[in-house]
């Protein structure tokens, strides 16, 4: 089965995107499979609303393991199943918590094997010199350019501060296909769905 991997800094909105995108594709409830760095797998059946309440939040590193769900999407007359995997956010510093360090390593190790990388950036976080401000985003971008199957999602476009930053993102990562989205309000999802459909 084809797999889409969601990566980005902590707090960029990866989990919010995963859950609201699942809802956008028609899911009411989801079966989430959690796989931690030791390979321990647990499954939970949750409504999307409960999952958002529990798994999204402003506290950094709420997501510490891989969280996958199987979704289906209509492509023409066919319905195609694919796996959407949310990950532990990656940042530059060596985190004090071993579980988070290993969660980050788990994210990076999965990059090689997936069919599409969805790289999420928080548009409200971007400064003038974004590649120096966020070297990890630059690394994801460079890797994505080599891999080709890569989409850059500029999230939190609903926030006033985000609007002006879209061009900064485009200037910093000029070769990427960028879609402005609001994971919170399901904005830009039609465009994301079209790109995902081409990759699965
Ligand atoms: N305004 C706004 N807030 C968002 C958006 N997406 C996520 N957030 C908020 O950003 C915080 C982090 O979201 P989360 O999905 O947990 O980030 P993750 O660490 O990348 O998984 C939460 O407080 C979300 O409510 C968005 O599109 N707009
Ligand atoms: Mg998360």
């Amino acid at each position: 089965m084809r797999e889409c991997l969601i990566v980005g800094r902590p707090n960029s909105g990866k989990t919010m995107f995963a859950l609201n995108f699942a809802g956008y594709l028609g899911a009411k409830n989801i079966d989430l499979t959690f796989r931690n760095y030791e390979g321990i797998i647990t499954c939970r059946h949750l409504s999307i609303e409960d999952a958002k309440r529990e798994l999204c939040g402003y506290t950094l590193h709420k997501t510490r393991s891989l969280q996958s769900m199987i979704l289906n999407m209509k492509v023409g007359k066919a319905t195609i199943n694919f796996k959407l995997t949310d990950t532990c956010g990656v940042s530059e510093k060596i985190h004090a918590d071993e579980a988070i360090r290993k969660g980050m390593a788990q994210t990076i190790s999965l990059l090689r094997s997936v069919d599409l990388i969805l790289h999420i950036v928080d548009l409200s976080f971007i400064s003038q010199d974004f590649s120096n401000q966020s070297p990890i985003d630059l690394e994801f971008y460079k890797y994505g350019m080599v891999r080709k199957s890569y989409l850059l999602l500029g999230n939190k476009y609903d926030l006033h501060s985000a609007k002006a930053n879209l061009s900064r993102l485009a200037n910093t990562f000029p070769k990427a296909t960028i879609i402005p989205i609001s994971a919170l309000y399901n904005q830009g999802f039609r465009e994301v769905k079209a790109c995902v459909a081409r990759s699965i």
Side-chain angles (χ1 to χ4, degrees):
M1 186 185 302
R2 309 284 271 177
E3 181 168 11
C4 299
L5 190 72
I6 303 170
V7 298
R9 298 191 75 87
N11 215 32
S12 54
K14 297 178 296 300
T15 304
M16 185 66 80
F17 170 76
L19 297 172
N20 273 343
F21 192 60
Y24 178 79
L25 295 181
K28 297 259 181 308
N29 299 295
I30 43 167
D31 289 305
L32 263 182
T33 302
F34 300 80
R35 180 152 57 91
N36 78 0
Y37 61 87
E38 290 168 314
I40 295 171
I41 293 177
T42 47
C43 297
R44 290 184 65 193
H45 181 76
L46 289 163
S47 73
I48 289 183
E49 287 313 310
D50 284 347
K52 281 197 284 191
R53 259 192 299 278
E54 200 175 314
L55 304 173
C56 296
Y58 201 70
T59 332
L60 290 183
H61 290 297
K62 280 210 114 177
T63 314
R64 290 170 173 230
S65 63
L66 302 176
Q67 292 177 187
S68 301
M69 53 192 150
I70 308 295
L71 299 175
N72 58 62
M73 186 188 275
K74 280 207 165 58
V75 181
K77 286 184 181 163
T79 301
I80 297 173
N81 287 338
F82 69 101
K83 192 194 275 189
L84 183 65
T85 299
D86 181 19
T87 59
C88 175
V90 182
S91 55
E92 298 80 11
K93 70 169 190 193
I94 298 171
H95 205 281
D97 185 333
E98 185 189 10
I100 293 173
R101 286 201 303 276
K102 291 191 168 167
M104 290 188 194
Q106 217 188 353
T107 302
I108 292 166
S109 68
L110 202 60
L111 278 170
R112 284 171 61 190
S113 64
V114 297
D115 301 288
L116 175 65
I117 297 165
L118 299 172
H119 174 194
I120 301 200
V121 170
D122 178 349
L123 281 174
S124 68
F125 171 78
I126 290 179
S127 70
Q128 196 86 44
D129 186 11
F130 186 56
S131 53
N132 274 328
Q133 179 199 351
S134 183
I136 196 70
D137 281 311
L138 180 63
E139 293 304 325
F140 280 135
Y141 165 73
K142 283 186 190 162
Y143 183 71
M145 289 303 99
V146 176
R147 279 289 308 277
K148 307 281 190 250
S149 48
Y150 167 85
L151 203 56
L152 183 55
L153 305 180
N155 191 30
K156 308 196 186 180
Y157 198 57
D158 56 286
L159 295 176
H160 184 69
S161 57
K163 302 274 189 266
N165 289 339
L166 185 60
S167 55
R168 282 184 179 167
L169 186 67
N171 291 338
T172 313
F173 302 140
K175 292 184 191 151
T177 301
I178 303 177
I179 302 177
I181 64 163
S182 167
L184 191 59
Y185 298 114
N186 290 17
Q187 289 166 2
F189 282 14
R190 192 161 56 93
E191 291 80 358
V192 179
K193 184 183 170 188
C195 289
V196 172
R198 282 196 286 276
S199 306
I200 60 173

